[in-house]
Each structure stands twice: as C-alpha cells, then as structure tokens.
Amino acid sequence: MAIRHRPIIPELTHAEIASAFGGDLMLLNGFDCLNPKLYGVEGSANPIERLKELCGRPVGANLEPVDEHAEMLESRIEIAPGRKCTAETVSRAEKLGLDFICLTGNPGTGVTNQAIAQAIQKAKKYFTGVIIAGKMHGAGSKEPVMNREIAKELIEAGADILLVPAVGTVPGFTDEELVAIVKVAHANDALVLSAIGTSQEGSSKEVIEQIAIRNKIAGVDIQH
C-alpha cells in the first residue's frame, strides 16, 4: 500500500482498511526508514509498532536496491536515501520492528536484478525477518524482469520469497514461464509472490479475478 497519500477515511490508516478487506500482509511502499512517518499514526514514537497494533497484521516495507550503473529505458527518478536498500536502512528496518522487507524497485528507479541479489546478501547480515526479492516490472532498467535464471540467483543469494509479475500484468510474461519459476522456487524451499504492479491496479473486478485464478493455477503462494 502507498504511504505517501492520506487515507480515504481520515480516522483510519491504509493498513486498517486493507486488513478489514482481507489483507494478510501489510507492505508499505515509499516508506522512508530514516524518516519513518505514516499517516494515521502521527506522534507515535514507533509508527511501525503502532501500525501493527492497529491492523493486527505483519507489516513490511519496500527497500530499493538502486543500481547507479543500470542501463535505463527512461529518465531515472531519484528517491530518498531512506528508501534505498543500504546497510543503514536495513538496520533501521530491524530496529523499527518490520516483519519483512521487500527488495524491489518502483518505476524509473533503476533497480536491477544484480543489485537485488547483492542487496539480499547484505540484508541477511542486518535483518532477521523475512526477505522478499524481485521485480514486478522493469523499474526503468533494460533487462528481463524475471526468468528461471534470475529466480535461481535470488534464491541462492538468500531470498525467502520471490517477487514476480503476475501473469496478465507484464507483456510477454507467460503462464508457462511463471510455472517454471514456481517449480524452481518450491524445489529450493522458497515461496513465490505474484504482483499486480502496473495498470491493472485500476482494472475491473473481472480482470482481477482472472489474474488471481491464473496465478493460483501456476502455483503462486501469495498475491500482491
């Protein structure tokens, strides 16, 4: 859920609303670990602990392994240091009490799979929670979003859960490719999270239902 926008209902946090509608894991996007602020929990000494009390769910956040040398397909969008995956932000995520971190990239940030693999190894030194890793879209860099080889690399680096595009969200990413990735993950005791991170976020109920069914058939464990 995006944390840079005020809740639709001012008295409630996004996490409480998502939890009420059946969300199992609360993933904060755009969260600054070095300047931890959340709408709805202003004034709290630790906004993450307070948010977990309010929604009753595990809470995690995206951290972005930006690759300064990435070959870009678009203009790079600069993000705050507290959103990037560094030893400092991962250590801060641990102190804040985040249950999991997701090493991924927002549009135009220049995150690469190589940088994600390196970030996983770094994160394992400072973070004791679950590590989700992968991309749901290109994040602006010129490379495949996900395939069997990338999946193997991220798992070998130590990812607990692979993040992949949901079939039906990224052109050219097929059911067959997802099935192959799921088999690699499950054979290595990892889970797979398929993500709706592109224009389908605003789709009709029928489109979302089809994405859910197709990715479930492929063997995906969690739906973003």
Side-chain angles (χ1 to χ4, degrees), residues 35-174:
N35 186 27
K37 295 182 179 180
L38 293 172
Y39 289 124
V41 291
E42 293 90 343
S44 174
N46 187 331
I48 296 299
E49 291 298 332
R50 179 57 180 152
L51 189 66
K52 288 198 282 187
E53 291 174 1
L54 291 172
C55 70
R57 299 288 190 274
V59 174
N62 286 334
L63 286 176
E64 307 190 45
V66 174
D67 187 340
E68 300 296 342
H69 304 291
E71 183 178 357
M72 299 293 293
L73 292 171
E74 57 187 296
S75 298
R76 185 188 296 274
I77 296 174
E78 295 297 331
I79 60 175
R83 288 178 52 188
K84 296 180 180 180
C85 183
T86 63
E88 185 180 12
T89 55
V90 173
S91 297
R92 185 61 176 156
E94 176 79 7
K95 293 177 181 177
L96 286 168
L98 287 170
D99 299 295
F100 58 96
I101 54 175
C102 182
L103 307 181
T104 190
N106 272 287
T109 54
V111 169
T112 62
N113 287 304
Q114 182 180 17
I116 291 174
Q118 294 170 349
I120 295 168
Q121 296 175 327
K122 182 187 303 178
K124 299 286 279 189
K125 298 178 182 178
Y126 304 100
F127 188 72
T128 59
V130 172
I131 295 177
I132 304 170
K135 296 200 290 184
M136 63 187 77
H137 50 63
S141 59
K142 185 179 181 180
E143 65 173 3
V145 177
M146 176 58 75
N147 55 38
R148 280 172 53 92
E149 289 69 34
I150 295 169
K152 290 178 181 178
E153 182 181 7
L154 300 186
I155 292 170
E156 289 172 0
D160 301 300
I161 301 173
L162 288 181
L163 185 155
V164 304
V167 171
T169 65
V170 173
F173 187 69
T174 67

